């Protein structure tokens, strides 16, 4: 159940097209006058809101970085980082192939794989990486409206893809997930009565289902038109680990956890207050995110400069939305992935020695 530079400012602008849904639900008024409507066929979700502040992160750890030089030397313009089957994947924006692969256990660089193009099994823009299961790696291309899934062994040995999902509705979603052959993706400002959409596999084919609702900020920004407000709050990222989904928001201090197995939703607001009207839509909060079997890791932008997207602060929550700890890195990153809740891998932009680096941090 669901409720509601050269860089990657593209990340912030990928969420606008589509139109409206209806469903059965109820309305709950929550902290900061944030209104979320939650709906699902034949039942009502368990809805919880947690407001956090900085004092809730009782444990703080300082982590030092180590540069992974072998994969760093092979990159041109990396965009995303992900872990599946004890391998580190880094998507590449400027090459005929699309996925750098590193063996985490041995540190061996396994080369760059996959094919760039517009044909079957090919990708133009490896925008997001995801894991349908532990044996596969998925690549989402919003430009082509497709998701490619690779069996990892086949990718390494034969450089071939396994499955291709073509759905125009996925265009401009900032993230895609595939669970039990259902394709999940984000709605946008033109569909305010839904937050997450998915194509459910039925005997008649794929059927589009709609869940949740975009957050609305009741009278907090009275000088903004409804369309302008929706445009700002629609920018979010979707990730999952099996049936636990997380939507983290770029422009407001909020993330929401959805457990589609138990029909539970938890919204977390904080640790900062909502931005002042003059900064609404111009500063970032949650930028990159990763979910393991136990924890949620969120790269949080503490330095509230306009359009900043790198940070050295990672906030860790459990799957119930409870704060676990704050991690302070010695190097700012713009993307993260986590291995076995013990090692953080990050992408660094613009160092003295190279344009981009892959670094790792050992969690104590």
């Amino acid at each position: 159940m669901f409720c509601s530079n050269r860089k990657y400012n593209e990340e912030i602008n990928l969420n606008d097209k589509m139109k409206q849904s209806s469903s059965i639900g109820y309305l709950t008024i929550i902290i900061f006058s944030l209104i979320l409507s939650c709906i699902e066929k034949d039942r009502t979700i368990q809805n919880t809101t947690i407001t956090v502040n900085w004092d809730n992160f009782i444990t703080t750890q300082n982590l030092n970085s180590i540069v992974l030089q072998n994969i760093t030397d092979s990159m041109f313009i990396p965009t995303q980082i992900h872990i599946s089957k004890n391998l580190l994947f880094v998507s590449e924006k400027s090459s005929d192939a699309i996925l750098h692969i590193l063996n985490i256990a041995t540190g061996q660089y396994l080369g760059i794989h996959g094919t760039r193009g517009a044909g079957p099994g090919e990708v133009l823009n490896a925008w997001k990486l995801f894991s349908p299961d532990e044996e596969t790696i998925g690549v989402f291309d919003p430009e082509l409206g497709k998701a490619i899934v690779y069996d990892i062994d086949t990718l390494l040995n034969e450089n071939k893809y396994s499955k291709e999902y073509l759905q125009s509705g996925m265009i401009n979603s900032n993230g895609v997930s595939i669970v039990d052959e259902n394709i999940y993706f984000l709605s946008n400002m033109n569909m305010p009565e839904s937050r997450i959409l998915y194509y459910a596999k039925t005997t008649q084919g794929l059927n589009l289902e709609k869940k949740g609702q975009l957050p609305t900020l009741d009278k907090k920004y009275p000088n903004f038109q409804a369309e302008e407000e929706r445009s700002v709050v629609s920018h979010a990222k979707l990730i999952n680990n099996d049936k636990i989904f997380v939507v983290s928001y770029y422009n407001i201090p909020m993330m929401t956890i959805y457990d589609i197995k138990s029909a539970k939703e938890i919204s977390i607001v904080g640790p900062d207050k909502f931005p002042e009207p003059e900064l609404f839509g111009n500063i970032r909060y949650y930028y990159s995110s990763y979910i393991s079997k136990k924890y949620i890791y969120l790269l949080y932008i503490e330095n509230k400069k306009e359009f900043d997207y790198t940070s050295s602060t990672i906030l860790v929550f459990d799957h119930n939305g409870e704060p676990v700890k704050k991690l302070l890195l010695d190097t700012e990153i713009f993307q993260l992935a986590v291995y076995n809740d013990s090692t953080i891998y990050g992408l660094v932009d613009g160092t003295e020695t190279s344009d981009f680096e892959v670094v790792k941090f050992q969690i104590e």
Side-chain angles (χ1 to χ4, degrees):
M1 169 61 205
F2 299 95
C3 298
S4 149
N5 49 19
R6 172 173 65 182
K7 314 249 193 249
Y8 309 105
N9 284 333
E10 311 161 18
E11 180 111 24
I12 312 301
N13 298 316
L14 257 191
N15 290 329
D16 301 305
K17 279 181 183 135
M18 309 189 222
K19 199 118 191 155
Q20 203 172 48
S21 66
S22 61
S23 40
I24 302 172
Y26 64 88
L27 188 65
T28 302
I29 300 176
I30 63 171
I31 308 299
F32 298 116
S33 298
L34 184 67
I35 299 177
L36 296 174
S37 177
C38 309
I39 35 186
E40 181 177 343
K41 292 179 180 178
D42 302 324
R43 63 179 176 177
T44 302
I45 195 170
Q46 307 167 43
N47 186 349
T48 303
T49 298
I50 299 174
T51 301
V52 300
N53 57 53
W54 289 108
D55 293 337
N56 296 130
F57 296 91
I58 298 173
T59 301
T60 299
Q61 294 181 8
N62 294 283
L63 307 183
N64 296 320
S65 60
I66 299 173
V67 178
L68 303 182
Q69 204 62 54
N70 52 354
I71 189 170
T72 292
D73 291 343
S74 303
M75 299 186 311
F76 293 97
I77 304 178
T79 56
Q80 294 289 312
I81 190 168
H82 195 75
I83 292 170
S84 191
K85 201 177 180 181
N86 300 320
L87 299 173
L88 180 71
F89 294 84
V90 179
S91 58
E92 175 61 61
K93 191 175 183 179
S94 180
S95 172
D96 290 338
I98 59 173
L99 288 174
H100 298 279
I101 305 178
L102 181 80
N103 185 308
I104 291 176
T106 65
Q108 180 184 2
Y109 177 63
L110 302 179
I112 185 167
H113 300 263
T115 305
R116 193 177 307 278
E122 297 178 342
V123 170
L124 284 175
N125 182 3
W127 184 250
K128 296 294 176 187
L129 306 181
F130 62 98
S131 296
D133 56 58
E134 295 180 355
E135 299 296 321
T136 60
I137 181 73
V139 179
F140 171 52
D141 183 342
E143 293 184 21
L144 297 178
K146 71 160 72 172
I148 302 295
V149 175
Y150 301 93
D151 173 84
I152 293 173
D153 289 338
T154 303
L155 175 64
L156 286 170
N157 296 324
E158 303 176 35
N159 200 38
K160 294 181 179 180
Y161 75 103
S162 301
K163 295 182 180 180
E164 180 175 274
Y165 299 83
L166 279 167
Q167 296 294 342
S168 60
M170 296 188 300
I171 291 177
N172 294 336
S173 174
N174 200 9
V176 163
S177 300
I178 298 175
V179 179
D180 297 332
E181 291 298 310
N182 294 335
I183 308 168
Y184 295 82
F185 56 100
L186 289 174
S187 67
N188 55 60
M189 63 170 288
N190 294 319
M191 298 187 75
E193 293 184 10
S194 60
R195 172 69 290 196
I196 297 179
L197 307 176
Y198 70 98
Y199 285 105
K201 202 170 185 180
T202 69
T203 55
Q204 287 76 39
L206 292 178
N207 186 47
L208 182 63
E209 302 286 344
K210 305 170 185 179
K211 303 292 185 181
Q213 184 176 15
L214 277 178
T216 57
L217 312 178
D218 186 37
K219 298 181 181 180
K220 192 164 186 63
Y221 300 100
N223 294 329
F224 282 77
Q225 298 294 321
E227 293 80 5
E228 293 177 297
E229 185 178 289
R230 291 202 305 268
S231 176
V232 172
V233 301
S234 66
H235 298 315
K237 181 176 181 179
L238 175 70
I239 59 171
N240 78 296
N241 187 294
D242 194 22
K243 293 178 173 60
I244 305 292
F245 287 71
V246 174
V247 176
S248 55
Y249 290 86
Y250 291 110
N251 296 320
I252 56 175
M254 177 180 172
M255 68 115 164
T256 304
I257 303 166
Y258 307 99
D259 185 334
I260 64 174
K261 184 177 181 180
S262 65
K264 181 171 65 174
E265 173 206 328
I266 304 168
S267 294
I268 292 88
V269 178
D272 287 325
K273 296 180 179 180
F274 281 87
E276 297 298 322
E278 63 271 17
L279 294 176
F280 184 55
N282 292 327
I283 56 177
R284 308 288 169 251
Y285 292 89
Y286 293 113
Y287 193 77
S288 181
S289 54
Y290 203 86
I291 181 170
S292 70
K293 291 181 179 179
K294 291 178 62 176
Y295 300 122
I296 299 162
Y297 298 82
L298 297 161
L299 186 67
Y300 191 80
I301 310 296
E302 278 199 78
N303 188 359
K304 293 297 189 291
K305 295 178 181 178
E306 284 192 75
F307 306 115
D308 197 9
Y309 61 93
T310 63
S311 178
S312 58
T313 300
I314 295 173
L315 303 182
V316 185
F317 297 82
D318 65 19
H319 287 186
N320 293 314
E322 293 294 334
V324 176
K325 56 188 170 184
K326 178 170 67 171
L327 304 176
L328 298 179
L329 314 179
D330 68 346
T331 302
E332 288 194 342
I333 62 176
F334 66 93
Q335 295 293 333
L336 68 91
V338 184
Y339 179 65
N340 286 347
D341 296 310
S342 63
T343 309
I344 292 175
Y345 291 86
L347 291 178
V348 180
D349 185 11
T351 69
E352 293 181 359
T353 56
S354 61
D355 291 338
F356 295 95
E357 290 179 342
V358 177
V359 296
K360 71 175 182 178
F361 308 84
Q362 205 68 33
I363 302 175
E364 300 172 4

